[in-house]
Amino acid sequence: MNKTSKSDQLYRLLLERISRLSDGDNFPTLREIMREYRVSQFTAAPALKRLQEKGLIASHVGRGSVVTRTAGRRHGATILYLRPDWPSFSIQAMEEAMTGEAAARGYHCEILRYDIAADIYRQLPGFEADAVILDPIQFDHFTAEQLQILTSSVRPVVLCRSTLPVFNIKCVGSHLMETGITAANYLYRNGHRKIGVLFSEGRSYTMTTVADTLLLCARTLGCEVTVLDANIRRGVDSCRQTREFLEREFKPDFTALFVCSYATARETLAFLRSRDVAVPEELSLLSYGFDTVPDEAPFISSVDAPLPRQAKAVLDIIDHQLSGDLSFPGQINIPPEIREYQSVQHLSGNIL
């Protein structure tokens, strides 16, 4: 298991201390830190040097050190963006949103593609960067070692596409329960009283929370709900598995179908067209998440937190972390929005 050095632990304690101070406040000297925290110079000196390098404190001969927290975020600081090496419009769109926002704020951004079979969390301590943005291939499945690495990192590590109720993990994503409620209300307002929910991605906290909330809300509204589970296996193309499931099992007795990802919603649309099922005239489609597909006009309506707002929230966390403001929220839930295109039919006869 990855272990945090004493100097790293002291650095985190000093960061927390700086977060409670204002610019210009006095900061303890090396000797005072050694005495107060009962550590050796070998432990204290590297931690103090890192604070100086980050611009969080400034030392003046004869006056000691003072806090320079608001100047701590440096233009040109390096952000490492880690993305799965997997062909996905969604992954590409997330990369472009995050790196674009980082560049707009003056950061230097490096992009690293990682093998989806690799444990990227175990590699985190070895990376050289001021902050890390991680697009995880598994949103919410962590081992004890992975959690320890994430929560003890001395540099900010922010997970995008995820909102997890785990203390001290920094993450940004769509508000999951609101997403399910928004999807159910949208279909209901459009007159749909028979709704299908297709589990077309691997079961996870994220997907389960969205889908279960949608099911509860739809049933509360008096809708009849059908659950379709493609039993997606991790590490295997979910689009292919979804298509195989639909070929075997699809017998719609509903007017609208909610699909758990945009990629598999596109696959579902292709399947329906191959069976001469008209969308949305015979069956409406709504997806979770949205991808911009090159040379393809948007057709499938979707629900998710807009990528620009997710990117802004991720970089806000990094800004505050690098400036020593540890009081800023490390977990941000973005309210979802409906992106309405052409795949949901308005059934006017059922609208109240």
Side-chain angles (χ1 to χ4, degrees), residues 60-61 75 80 85 138 140-141 217 233 236 252 270 307 316 327:
H60 304 281
V61 177
H75 283 277
L80 178 62
D85 189 10
Q138 294 186 7
D140 42 31
H141 288 73
C217 183
R233 304 181 304 280
V236 182
L307 279 183
D316 284 347
S327 63

Side-chain angles (χ1 to χ4, degrees), residues 186 262 265-270 272-273 277-287 289-293 295-302 338-345:
Y186 174 71
Y262 192 81
R266 291 179 69 242
E267 189 66 38
T268 301
L269 177 62
L272 292 172
R273 286 173 171 171
V277 177
V279 176
E281 292 80 6
E282 296 178 64
L283 181 64
S284 293
L285 280 183
L286 179 67
S287 84
F290 175 79
D291 300 341
T292 300
V293 181
D295 302 320
E296 181 177 297
F299 178 82
I300 301 174
S301 298
S302 63
I338 294 287
R339 299 187 68 162
E340 190 169 33
Y341 293 105
Q342 304 169 54
S343 65
V344 175
Q345 178 84 336

Side-chain angles (χ1 to χ4, degrees), residues 62-317:
R63 289 169 34 197
S65 297
V66 295
V67 173
T68 54
R69 189 158 62 82
T70 29
R73 197 202 99 201
R74 299 172 299 150
H75 283 277
T78 298
I79 293 177
L80 178 62
Y81 184 80
L82 299 173
R83 56 154 289 176
D85 189 10
W86 185 261
S88 165
F89 295 120
S90 174
I91 292 173
Q92 184 62 33
M94 183 68 75
E95 175 190 321
E96 293 171 359
M98 294 296 168
T99 57
E101 182 70 18
R105 299 191 187 204
Y107 289 107
H108 172 66
C109 202
E110 298 178 358
I111 301 169
L112 177 65
R113 294 171 178 247
Y114 64 88
D115 190 321
I116 62 170
D119 186 348
I120 189 62
Y121 300 98
R122 298 189 71 179
Q123 300 177 37
L124 287 175
F127 291 129
E128 292 294 332
D130 295 291
V132 175
I133 302 174
L134 173 58
D135 187 353
I137 193 67
Q138 294 186 7
F139 299 164
D140 42 31
H141 288 73
F142 300 103
T143 65
E145 179 182 11
Q146 291 168 343
L147 287 173
Q148 193 269 341
I149 291 171
L150 285 172
T151 56
S152 65
S153 175
V154 295
R155 67 176 60 84
V157 177
V158 185
L159 305 183
C160 54
R161 212 190 297 270
S162 306
T163 49
L164 306 171
V166 180
F167 177 73
N168 214 25
I169 285 185
K170 301 170 187 65
C171 54
V172 171
S174 179
H175 192 293
L176 301 179
M177 294 185 70
E178 284 189 25
T179 300
I181 293 170
T182 299
N185 281 329
Y186 174 71
L187 294 175
Y188 183 83
R189 289 198 310 272
N190 279 283
H192 294 278
R193 300 296 182 263
K194 292 185 176 182
I195 299 171
V197 175
L198 174 59
F199 279 92
S200 54
E201 296 290 347
R203 289 279 186 158
S204 64
Y205 171 81
T206 298
M207 292 300 177
T208 300
T209 302
V210 170
D212 285 354
T213 307
L214 187 158
L215 293 170
L216 177 61
C217 183
R219 286 167 177 154
T220 301
L221 291 169
C223 297
E224 181 180 328
V225 182
T226 302
V227 177
L228 305 174
D229 192 343
N231 293 309
I232 301 298
R233 304 181 304 280
R234 293 187 179 277
V236 182
D237 186 355
S238 58
C239 289
R240 190 184 79 191
Q241 293 183 75
T242 298
R243 183 63 174 250
E244 292 171 351
F245 170 79
L246 293 173
E247 296 280 359
R248 296 190 313 269
E249 305 288 344
F250 194 68
K251 298 175 183 177
D253 57 354
F254 35 79
T255 62
L257 179 63
F258 177 81
V259 187
C260 285
S261 75
Y262 192 81
T264 54
R266 291 179 69 242
E267 189 66 38
T268 301
L269 177 62
F271 165 78
L272 292 172
R273 286 173 171 171
S274 73
R275 294 296 182 89
D276 295 324
V277 177
V279 176
E281 292 80 6
E282 296 178 64
L283 181 64
S284 293
L285 280 183
L286 179 67
S287 84
Y288 173 52
F290 175 79
D291 300 341
T292 300
V293 181
D295 302 320
E296 181 177 297
F299 178 82
I300 301 174
S301 298
S302 63
V303 57
D304 199 3
L307 279 183
R309 294 183 63 187
Q310 293 189 52
K312 179 182 182 302
V314 167
L315 270 298
D316 284 347
I317 292 174

